[in-house]
Amino acid sequence: MNSIKSVPARVLSRRSGHSLEAEREQFDKNQAISISKAINTQEAPVKEKHARRIILGTHHEKGAFTFWSYAIGLPLPSSAILSWKFCHVLHKVLRDGHPNVLQDCQRYRSNIRETGDLWGHLHDRYGQLVSIYTRLLLTKISFHIKHPEFPPGLEVSDEVLEKTAGTDVNNIFQLTVELFDYLDCELKLSESVFRQLNTSMAISQMSAVQCRLAPLIQVIQDCSHLYHYSVKLMFKLHSCLPADTLQGHRDRFHEQFRSLKNFFKKASDMLYFKRLIQIPRLPESPPNFLRASALAEHVKPVVVIPEEAPEDEEPENLIEISTASTTEPQITSDIFEQTFGPPNGIRDDRDAQIESLKKEVDMLRAEMEKIKLEAQRYITQLKAQVNSLEGEVEEQRKQKQKALVDNEQLRDELERLQKVKQDSDRSQRLCAEAEKRANATEIRYTKLKEKHSELINTHAELLRKNADTAKQLTVTQQSQEEVARVKEQLAFQVEQVKREAEMKLEDQSVQMEQLRQELDARRDELDQAQHSLSHAKQAGAELSAQVEALHAEKEVLRRSVSEKECELLSTRGLIEEKELQLSQEADKATREIRELQGKLLEKSNQEQSLQQKLLDEQFGILQETVREAEDILRDAMAKLDDPLHVRCTSSPDYLLSRAQAALESTDALENGHAQYVASMADAAGLVGALALFAHLMADTIVNGSATSHLAPTDHADRLTETCRDCGQRSLDYLGELKDKQTLRRAELGDVQQALRGVLQLAQELRPKSLDIKQEELGDMVEKEMASTSEAIEDAVRRIEEMMSQARNKSSGVKLEVNERILNSCTDLMKAIRLLVMTSTNLQKEIVESGRGAATTQEFYAKNSRWTEGLISASKAVGWGATQLVESADRVVLHMGKYEELIVCSHEIAASTAQLVAASKVKAEKSSRNLARLQECSRNVNEMAANVVASTKSGQEQIEEKDTMDFSGMSLIKLKKEEMETQVKVLELEKRLEGERVRLGELRKQHYALAGTYDAMEDGEVKPAPAPRRGILKKPPLAQKPGHREPEQDAGPYPPHGANV
């Protein structure tokens, strides 16, 4: 068996020092020291070097696990200052630590929230600040977890900001609101800190004030970035949304701008911030987001931190007690010396002695630490050796007899070792007492320094008073004696202050001498303790193995017996606790059951009352709806006998659609009635169906009355009575709904029967010329368009034939006129042919885009009115082309009149306008075919105008005008000719008036046959049917009154069929 003495202690120390475990222990130790020094109860700012070590630790281990393992053990609820400095350190770690720190802090959100809630409920000045600071930290963690593109330091480029915002306005809007909330939390913390400082009239050079001001450095850094990002996003929002929508955003930004500008101004005026951070300047007025060019004027605020910012640290301990390694000694300067300098420019010997004592204490502490570590390793090796000695238990049992003989000697030696151990413990206690005395001395030294600084301040104040007195002396000669007396008093006070300061310094030197003596004594005691500890190690190495072997079995048995006894006692205690707990739980359960039963009974009563109230409210809503429906129906029925309504007219087709819609609404009303009868707590379905039924029924009655004004007397009377019957039966049905007893058995059978009567009468009144099967409409459209194209092609051929004949039979002026007229007619036919082709393509596009899953015939049948208008327009174009060719033929053969050709040109222009209007009703506004159709229509109008112009010019060339020579007539002859001419003029005017009347009657008859007379009066436009080829009637002109574009099918609800 190898002995422990065979391994040198230096070798073991070197091996353990280079292991990863030792490095981890050293890292944890350094982090614990830095955290304990940074987060303490002293009302002073956190030292930058301690915070920097903590931040470097997060980068070393790539996270904040070690920081939080120590932070959760801090007694935060016991001290508000401790919680405040913890928040400050956590803010710095979040900003400058490793990126993984954010995820680690997310896991400890509950601890941060609990700390804030605790201090938020207490009336403590630091406590209120802690509550606000924790809310800021929680907002910061949440924002950066949600938006990982923004690091906790908030430093991103404008490109990353644009990419994060994206192009979706909703995302930009939400991101702007979150940045505003973030900035509000930062500004609220700064306002709270300055509010407390204003109330206490604090000076920024005091440590207590600096403790509150230190976290505002990180707040300034965050606010500069948040302000810049808010400005960028606000300009982007104003480029996407109207200004009125963003009025609330602008108001909130302006309020934050004023608060941030005030915060930066206050901070810039403080001496504490001037040497730690360069605060940016904000513009005098906020950016004008309503002017896009203002973005170029925006300057990003930049915060500059000096590379080596001076630390406003607290005074270092006179004798620093720490566990730092000797390889990294902490060299700190005296804050008193930094502030005031050594007296008379010469370094005091006491300072050198203090520094030497510090070094000696550090060396002693390091040696003590080495001794402790060596003892720890020694104990660890002993434990390992115990495991190896267990295999030799059997061999030691054989030597048991011999060991019993030596037992007495071993006991004596053990007592001696116990005494040595007690001496070692006593030496350790003496060391601890020495450290306590050193701490007390350090505290006294700190107090002396504070007192000395107060005396210096008093001295400075007295000197200022002395200067003021000297100024008053030059102004007022009468108070010289009094000023001299004041000077003497001031001089006496100054001398007294100096004497007190010197006495304090002498006391300090005495205390330092006592401290040095105590350190020497403690050093001697430490040497003795080391010597005794070395002896104890040697003796323990020899006896521990034997003692462990002898007592191994005894300890095993003793542990087993004690374990059993402990288990028995714990089992008994558990049984008693369980019995007591079960009895308490049973009593509690009984009380809870009684309370719950009472609450349940109360709830059931409340539910019954609420249910009854709900039924009453629903029935009341139904009654209000019924009364409103009755008013609507009575108003509609009043129109039946209203003489002012006689001028209102409507068409049977519109009445048919309104009556059909009213009949369909009765099905929804029956379903709503059935649902309400089944569950009277919900009357929404019945109320909605009842409102729709009332409006549709009133619309049917009004349009029935309007239709009867144009119907034959028999049909008009029957229609009026049927509409009155519909209204009366509807009122009867509504009357049944007003009573709870008759509500359940109310039926709509009579109302539906009356509506069917209206439908039948409307069907009988429809024009017979529209009785075309809807299945045939699709084929008719294609046939009519094809026949129109054929008619135009035939017209072009006939014009070419007439052109060749005119060249053969005519010559001179007549040939020139005929060629010009026929050429213009040819151009017109070509333009019409192109118009028809374009219209055909547009119809195909309309059918393909509107029919969906239906067939082409179903689409035409569904839009029958539009289809009939299209057919009528197509027929009119073909008829006009044929008539133009026949008129041109007669003009060329000198058998017709030039006026016929002009009228035919006007008719063709009107027909093509009707075709264009019928085609563009259902076309999309952005359709290319529609644009081409409109261009073709304008071209047709130009060609028709050319035909008219060429016809008029040809007529003027051919007709010979007689020269009016009245020079040979006498006065009587001239008078006679004048009277005869007046007679002819009157005859011609009479004939002209008669022809105009005849033209009006012809147009009226044409409208009647085309079925458009009712559309002229009631506003509902129907396409005119095509004229029969046997009769060869003219189609309506585009400019005639009442002939408008065919409208799309009206919606199912608004009653607009009757017009005055």
Side-chain angles (χ1 to χ4, degrees), residues 302-349:
V302 179
V303 177
V304 179
I305 302 292
E307 294 182 358
E308 293 184 6
E311 296 179 2
D312 194 8
E313 298 178 349
E314 62 182 2
E316 286 291 324
N317 294 332
L318 181 63
I319 301 176
E320 184 176 353
I321 301 172
S322 65
T323 58
S325 174
T326 57
T327 61
E328 297 178 1
Q330 299 180 2
I331 302 173
T332 57
S333 59
D334 193 359
I335 190 67
F336 182 83
E337 234 177 64
Q338 290 181 1
T339 306
F340 302 101
N344 298 326
I346 302 174
R347 188 174 179 85
D348 197 353
D349 293 336

Side-chain angles (χ1 to χ4, degrees), residues 38 182 317 430 572 611 624 751 889:
Y182 198 169
N317 294 332
L430 290 174
R572 289 177 180 175
Q611 185 68 22
E624 291 295 331
V751 178
D889 190 12

Side-chain angles (χ1 to χ4, degrees), residues 582-595:
L582 287 174
S583 62
Q584 292 176 355
E585 289 180 354
D587 296 338
K588 184 178 180 181
T590 305
R591 290 193 301 270
E592 289 180 352
I593 289 171
R594 292 175 182 173
E595 292 177 358

Side-chain angles (χ1 to χ4, degrees), residues 539-607:
E542 298 174 355
L543 297 176
S544 59
Q546 298 178 0
V547 172
E548 291 293 334
L550 290 174
H551 294 282
E553 294 179 326
K554 182 188 291 184
E555 290 297 330
V556 170
L557 294 174
R558 185 180 301 161
R559 283 197 299 271
S560 61
V561 172
S562 61
E563 287 176 359
K564 293 295 182 182
E565 290 178 352
C566 292
E567 290 178 358
L568 181 60
L569 292 175
S570 63
T571 305
R572 289 177 180 175
L574 289 174
I575 292 172
E576 292 176 356
E577 290 177 359
K578 287 293 183 182
E579 290 178 353
L580 180 60
Q581 186 177 0
L582 287 174
S583 62
Q584 292 176 355
E585 289 180 354
D587 296 338
K588 184 178 180 181
T590 305
R591 290 193 301 270
E592 289 180 352
I593 289 171
R594 292 175 182 173
E595 292 177 358
L596 290 175
Q597 287 177 350
K599 291 180 179 179
L600 181 61
L601 181 60
E602 184 179 355
K603 285 288 184 182
S604 62
N605 295 333
Q606 290 180 357
E607 287 180 358

